[in-house]
Amino acid sequence: MSNIRLENITRRFGEIVALDDVSLTVQDGEFFVLLGPTGAGKTTTLRVIAGLEKQNAGHVIFDAHSMDDAQPADRDVAFVFQQYSLYPNMSVYDNLAFPLRSPLRKTPEAEIKQRVTDAAEKLRINHLLERKTARLSGGEMQRVSIGRAIVRSPRVFLMDEPLSNLDAKLRESLRVELKHIQKVQHSTTVFVTHDQIEALTMADRIGVLDRGKLLQVGTPQDIYDRPATTFVAQLVGTPRINLLRTARNNGALNISHSDLTLSAGHENLPNDLLLGVRPEDVRLVNDGQFEGVITLIEPLGVETIVHIRNGEQTLLSTIAGNVQVRIGEAVRFNVVPDRIHYFDIDGKRI
Amino acid sequence: MSQATTGAAAPQVTPYRAAGRRHLSDRQILLLFILPTMILLICMNLIPLIYSLFLSFTEYSVISGTPPAWVGLDNYTQILTSADFWANFATTGRFAILSVVLETAVGFGLALLLRYKFRGSGIITTLILVPMMLSPIVVATFWKLIFNPSYGIFNYLIGFTNPNTAPEWLGRSDLAMWAIVIVDTWMWSPFVMLLCLAGLSAIPDYLYEAASIDRASAWFQFRRITLPQVMPLLLIAVLFRTIEAFKQFDLVMGLTGGGLGTETVSVRLYRLAFQGQFDTGMSSALAYIILVVIIAISNLLIRALNRVREG
C-alpha cells in the first residue's frame, strides 16, 4: 500500500478540459471518494492514476516515485470498472486467478488457489467459482470483478462507480462489504461515485469535482457542515439545502421575496448574499419566529419533508417521523441560527 | 350503435365494432403476405426438389423422350463405387480446405490491421471489399489475363520477369488448383475480414484495459480476449466459405473449365446433367449426395459454433 499524490494534473480531450489543474493527496490506507456529477472528471482522474490515460500536464506520484512514464502494468494498481469487466469464456475461478497468472508475476499455483479462495470467501462467491461468467447476475459479476482486484495486494485500489449498476438493496450490502474489506486490508482506495450517500457513508475523505476542477477536499463531515461552495452544498444532503437570495440591511438579513428577516450572525457580510439552510435546520415549532403555509408534504416513514411557503420563497424542512400537518395549514417555524451557511453571490462560502 | 338508456338501467355493453364495410382479419392479412411467396417456393423449389429425388432413383435423360425407368439405388451405388467421382470429391475437398484456411488467415489478418481507425482506413476498407462485389465470371475472366504467362502481371509481381521461364499457372496440373485457390482467396478474404471486423469492434476497450492493469502479455490478451470474442463470427465466416467452396463452380469454369485436375463436384455435376448424354437420373443422384455432404459439414460447424457461443 502506498500514498498517492496528484500534482497539478491537467487532461484535455481536444477542446474539452476534462481535468483542470487538479492536485490532491490520498494517504496510505485511506478510503478516498471522488464525488461529482456526470462529466466532472472523476473517471478521468482515476484513469490518470491507473495510467490508462496520460495527463497533458502535472505529475502522478506514488510514495515519492514519479509514475508519469510508467505503464498501467507497472503501476501495480487494481481497477474495478463500472461495467463488470470480466473475461468472457472463463470461469469465475479463472477470472479471479487471471491477475496472478500473468506471466510477469509467476505466482505458484498453490498460492493462487489459496488467494482466490480467500477472496471468494470475503466476497461470498465461493459457491460460484466453477461457473462461467456469462451465467452470473449483475451483483455476482461485480463481486467477481472486485474479487479480481483484491486477490493481489496492489498499491492502490481504483474503483469506478462499481455499485452504480446494481439495484438499491444490493448496493447497500456491497457498500458495507467493501468498506469492511477496505478497513480489514487497510488498503489505499480511490472510489469514484456520483452518489452522495455512497460518498458520505464510505469515505474517510471526499474530494468534490465539478467540470474538471477540484472544489473541496475534506472529511464527510467537513463537506456536509462546511461546504466550500453552493455547488458542494447542493450536491450533498437530501433533500437539497435551501438556498435563499438575501439582502443585508445593516444588522438584518432580509430574504428576498418574503417577509423573513434574520439577524446577521456574521460580520463582514456583503450586501447581497446567499443563505444556505439545511432542511433539518428548519424546525416546526408552535412559538416559532417565522410563519408560513404548508404547500406539500412528502412522508418517507423515518422522516417527513414539509414544504413551507412564505411570500414567494419555499423552504424545505425535514421532520423526524410522521407529522400531523395538512397542506394549506399555517405553521410557525424557526431556523437554527448557528447552522446557517453564508455564501457570496458567486457561490463561495463566507 | 349508441342506445338511449333510461332511468336506472345498467349501461349496456356493446362489443366494439370498427366502422367501415369490410375488414380483413389479422390472419387474412397474414396469409395475403405469405401465400404468394409460399406458392412460388413450392412451385420453384419444393416440387423440383421432390421430383429430382424421384429422378435420382431412375434412369432418365431429359433429351431422350423416354419416361424415367426405376432403377432403385443403382445411380447411388454407381457414383459411390466409382473412383472417378471420388476424385471429384477429393478435388473439391482439397480446394475447400486450401481456400478456407487461406481466406480465414488473410481475412482475420486484414481485420486486425484495419481494426483501429487511421487516416484513410475507411477508403482502404472499402477498396478491399471491392473483389467480393464482383461477378465470379468477371473475376475469372480478368484473372485469366493476370495469370497469362506472356503478358499477365501476376508472374511479374512474384518475381518471374522472363515470360519464357515463368510458370503457366493455368496450364500446369500442379499449379491450376493453386491458381483457383489464389483467385478465390483474393475474392473472398474481404468477406472474412468484414465479419471479423464486426466481431473485433464489439470487444469493449475496458477488457483490454483491465488486462493491461492485470499485467497480461499481448499474446495473452490476444488468446484470452480477442480470439474468444471474435470466434463466433469467425466460425460463421468459415461456415459460409466452406459451403461456398463446396459448391465452387464459376471460378473453375471461368479459369480452367474444370481441366488439369480442377474438376470439382459441381463442375462434374454440370457436365453430367447438361452436356453429352444429359444423364438426368445420375446427376440428380449426385446432386443429392452433394446436398447431404454440405448439410453434414454445416452441421459440424454449427455445432462448433454453438459450443463457442456457450463458452
Side-chain angles (χ1 to χ4, degrees), chain B residues 239 243 292-306:
Chain B
L239 174 70
I243 293 172
V292 168
V293 170
I294 288 180
I295 290 174
I297 293 173
S298 309
N299 263 310
L300 285 177
L301 282 166
I302 288 169
R303 218 171 275 181
L305 186 64
N306 285 337

Side-chain angles (χ1 to χ4, degrees), chain A residues 47 73 87-88 98 102 105, chain B residues 206 209 211 213-215 220 229:
Chain A
R47 292 170 62 85
Y87 305 116
F98 190 93
S102 154
R105 231 179 278 268
Chain B
Y206 59 76
E209 291 180 343
I213 283 174
D214 287 342
R215 299 184 175 178
F220 208 71
Q229 294 270 336

Side-chain angles (χ1 to χ4, degrees), chain A residues 79-343:
Chain A
F79 204 116
V80 179
F81 292 83
Q82 186 175 1
Q83 323 82 338
Y84 343 102
S85 55
L86 301 185
Y87 305 116
N89 314 87
M90 283 166 77
S91 69
V92 169
Y93 182 93
D94 289 333
N95 259 284
L96 290 173
F98 190 93
L100 301 172
R101 280 189 181 144
S102 154
L104 302 169
R105 231 179 278 268
K106 292 202 175 68
T107 319
E109 202 60 36
E111 193 191 332
I112 291 181
K113 187 158 189 208
Q114 182 61 43
R115 290 225 219 162
V116 169
T117 330
D118 281 355
E121 253 163 45
K122 271 183 202 151
L123 290 161
R124 288 185 258 128
I125 46 173
N126 24 14
H127 59 293
L128 301 174
L129 286 176
E130 297 312 313
R131 213 176 285 182
K132 285 278 158 76
T133 52
R135 299 209 169 77
L136 298 177
S137 70
E140 289 166 342
M141 286 203 224
Q142 197 55 294
R143 272 162 210 259
V144 176
S145 56
I146 292 168
R148 215 175 50 201
I150 66 173
V151 282
R152 54 200 184 90
S153 318
R155 301 171 89 153
V156 55
F157 288 104
L158 304 172
M159 304 198 180
D160 188 5
E161 310 217 18
L163 308 180
S164 65
N165 287 350
L166 306 176
D167 64 72
K169 271 235 168 64
L170 203 57
R171 201 179 318 161
E172 221 162 274
S173 70
L174 258 183
R175 200 162 75 198
V176 175
E177 279 172 45
L178 265 183
K179 175 101 186 169
H180 179 71
I181 290 168
Q182 191 267 337
K183 282 297 158 236
V184 170
Q185 295 203 334
H186 195 66
S187 50
T188 312
T189 304
V190 183
F191 186 101
V192 158
T193 184
H194 64 266
D195 180 348
Q196 50 112 5
I197 296 184
E198 253 168 44
L200 293 174
T201 52
M202 299 175 87
D204 293 323
R205 280 194 309 145
I206 296 174
V208 181
L209 272 171
D210 182 41
R211 281 178 260 166
K213 281 194 193 305
L214 193 60
L215 299 180
Q216 188 176 7
V217 177
T219 64
Q221 211 175 350
D222 281 340
I223 302 281
Y224 190 81
D225 288 340
R226 279 180 299 283
T229 67
T230 49
F231 178 85
V232 178
Q234 286 181 300
L235 193 64
V236 293
T238 40
R240 273 185 178 203
I241 193 167
N242 297 298
L243 274 184
L244 308 162
R245 188 73 179 260
T246 303
R248 185 175 68 89
N249 195 349
N250 293 323
L253 298 173
N254 299 322
I255 295 173
S256 42
H257 307 299
S258 76
D259 47 12
L260 302 174
T261 305
L262 300 101
S263 56
H266 206 299
E267 290 179 7
N268 307 327
L269 289 176
N271 288 331
D272 218 5
L273 71 157
L274 286 163
L275 280 193
V277 184
R278 294 261 179 222
E280 65 269 24
D281 299 326
V282 177
R283 299 188 179 158
L284 287 183
V285 276
N286 288 333
D287 53 350
Q289 189 188 348
F290 313 110
E291 43 172 28
V293 176
I294 293 178
T295 55
L296 194 67
I297 304 164
E298 301 175 67
L300 299 176
V302 277
E303 60 181 22
T304 305
I305 303 166
V306 180
H307 298 236
I308 308 166
R309 155 91 48 95
N310 179 303
E312 280 172 37
Q313 293 284 7
T314 299
L315 274 82
L316 269 58
S317 163
T318 50
I319 296 150
N322 281 309
V323 281
Q324 298 306 313
V325 286
R326 285 190 319 276
I327 293 175
E329 197 178 322
V331 287
R332 300 197 73 83
F333 63 96
N334 271 341
V335 173
V336 184
D338 51 349
R339 303 269 301 167
I340 295 173
H341 308 272
Y342 301 95
F343 301 99

